[in-house]
Amino acid sequence: MAPRLALADAQPVLEAALAKAEEIGQPMNVAVVDDGGHLIAFARQDGAILGSIDIAIRKARTAALLKMTTAQLGEAAAPGAPLYGIEVTNGGLVIFGGGIPLVRGREVVGAVGVSAGSVEQDTEVAEAGVAALPKRGRR
């Protein structure tokens, strides 16, 4: 059985992502989900685009459920690619950057999703969150 992502694990991910967003000067929506795509932690910085709340959560959910980044899924879902059309499944998946799985050992334990900046900014902020995942569970 895969180790579960606890709130104590999600908080440093969320905090690091928010700190990176602050550093680059782009207010963001940041979501952290467990391996089943269920929301554990979320924050909306003042000034972050309201329409991006759902996108951040869906990016995290997409990355967790498919065990790949949303950017990787975007490549696989391009016209003519093997997963073309997948974004309309599972209640709506996101196929552009900003969602990254959280991996402990070899297991995907959850994901972080970021939205409200450019795709590059969203990815940079998500990567900062991934780097802050505690190596061991903090229950």
Side-chain angles (χ1 to χ4, degrees), residues 37-120:
H38 304 286
L39 190 63
I40 297 174
F42 177 84
R44 182 187 79 209
Q45 291 179 308
D46 294 342
I49 298 168
L50 297 178
S52 289
I53 294 169
D54 182 60
I55 297 169
I57 294 168
R58 285 179 186 267
K59 283 182 181 183
R61 186 173 173 274
T62 298
L65 292 178
L66 296 180
K67 301 182 186 313
M68 67 176 67
T69 70
T70 54
Q72 290 168 324
L73 181 59
E75 293 173 15
L83 298 180
Y84 179 67
I86 194 169
E87 68 275 9
V88 300
T89 69
N90 291 284
L93 301 174
V94 177
I95 58 171
F96 50 90
I100 303 176
L102 295 170
V103 179
R104 188 175 283 138
R106 292 183 173 183
E107 300 291 332
V108 172
V109 295
V112 59
V114 178
S115 187
S118 67
V119 170
E120 293 77 16

Side-chain angles (χ1 to χ4, degrees), residues 3-14 30-43 57 60 102 109-111 133 139:
R4 301 301 283 189
L5 190 68
L7 177 60
D9 298 316
Q11 287 174 320
V13 172
L14 181 68
V30 180
V32 182
V33 301
D34 67 14
D35 60 326
H38 304 286
L39 190 63
I40 297 174
F42 177 84
I57 294 168
L102 295 170
V109 295
L133 177 68
R139 296 182 187 239

